[in-house]
Amino acid sequence: MRVWKWIGLAGVLAGVATGAAVARDERVRRHYDAAEIRERLHRRHDEAVAREVAPPDGPHLGG
């Protein structure tokens, strides 16, 4: 029966740690204002489009 108590305690501690990590990430995310988020999203989009357009590096495997 003691083993189950330790497993339960470990589960509770894991839940608390996960909740603390989520809360910390939420605080960091909310720190940005709308203009900063918009600028970051536009920059990430531009980088993604540039990767699609750019030719792949390395030797070509044409057949």
Side-chain angles (χ1 to χ4, degrees):
M1 196 58 136
R2 282 188 126 176
V3 173
W4 291 111
K5 287 181 183 179
W6 285 109
I7 291 173
L9 180 61
V12 169
L13 292 176
V16 169
T18 301
V22 168
R24 184 189 65 226
D25 290 344
E26 184 69 17
R27 282 194 307 270
V28 169
R29 185 183 65 82
R30 288 180 185 232
H31 183 68
Y32 299 115
D33 66 351
E36 289 174 316
I37 294 171
R38 188 177 309 109
E39 188 272 327
R40 290 178 67 179
L41 287 172
H42 282 291
R43 184 176 46 208
R44 287 176 58 189
H45 176 265
D46 293 341
E47 291 171 359
V49 169
R51 280 194 303 268
E52 285 183 4
V53 174
D57 295 334
H60 296 285
L61 300 175

